[in-house]
Amino acid sequence: MSFVPGQPVTAVVERIEIQKLRQGENLILGFSIGGGIDQDPGQNPFSEDKSDKGIYVTRISPKGPADLAGLKIGDKIMQVNGWDMTMVTHDQAHKKLTKKKEDVVRLLVTRKSLEEAVKQSKGSYPKH
């Protein structure tokens, strides 16, 4: 999915709510991110055209909060608790995800399999 800054984004999205796991002073989400406008998109294995500077899920802890919530490796994070994540630095994204006062993180993500399913279903409806 190519993205042009300032242009509308057409994406199939899924809402995922992650309840953070409390371990002492830490709140655990159970996933890692890559990407950001300050990173080299050529190094991002999930950027199709190697120009997408979005925030992507790069690792998920098995049976962790993100895994149980349905987050997948390769998901592109579009929003965190209502904040737009399409034009943020890696550090800004990390800070939004790990706020100490928030026990729940609500994500809006898009993934290739969602887009493919919609494309296939659009072609499979009977014509009247």
Side-chain angles (χ1 to χ4, degrees):
M1 166 184 21
S2 63
F3 171 72
V4 179
Q7 296 300 309
V9 178
T10 303
V12 181
V13 295
E14 181 177 338
R15 293 182 188 282
I16 294 180
E17 190 169 294
I18 303 171
Q19 181 74 42
K20 293 180 183 176
L21 180 65
R22 190 171 288 281
Q23 288 184 341
E25 289 295 304
N26 298 321
L27 290 171
I28 308 299
L29 280 165
F31 73 98
S32 298
I33 58 170
I37 59 173
D38 58 334
Q39 305 293 311
D40 177 4
Q43 300 298 311
N44 185 337
F46 304 109
S47 173
E48 270 181 43
D49 57 8
K50 298 300 178 197
S51 67
D52 185 344
K53 295 186 174 201
I55 301 295
Y56 286 86
V57 176
T58 57
R59 188 187 62 78
I60 293 190
S61 302
K63 306 247 187 290
D67 188 23
L68 297 175
L71 199 65
K72 306 267 186 248
I73 291 175
D75 281 356
K76 181 176 181 178
I77 300 175
M78 306 299 281
Q79 283 184 2
V80 173
N81 292 338
W83 292 93
D84 177 32
M85 298 307 255
T86 59
M87 293 296 291
V88 296
T89 65
H90 184 87
D91 192 51
Q92 287 169 327
H94 187 264
K95 284 179 178 164
K96 290 281 185 228
L97 287 162
T98 57
K99 283 189 173 178
K100 292 269 187 243
K101 295 183 215 90
E102 295 173 347
D103 288 341
V104 175
V105 172
R106 290 174 184 84
L107 302 178
L108 209 56
V109 303
T110 185
R111 70 175 64 117
K112 277 186 88 63
S113 59
L114 291 172
E115 289 183 28
E116 293 304 316
V118 168
K119 280 180 192 164
Q120 288 171 4
S121 70
K122 282 183 177 174
S124 66
Y125 288 118
K127 293 189 168 88
H128 294 287

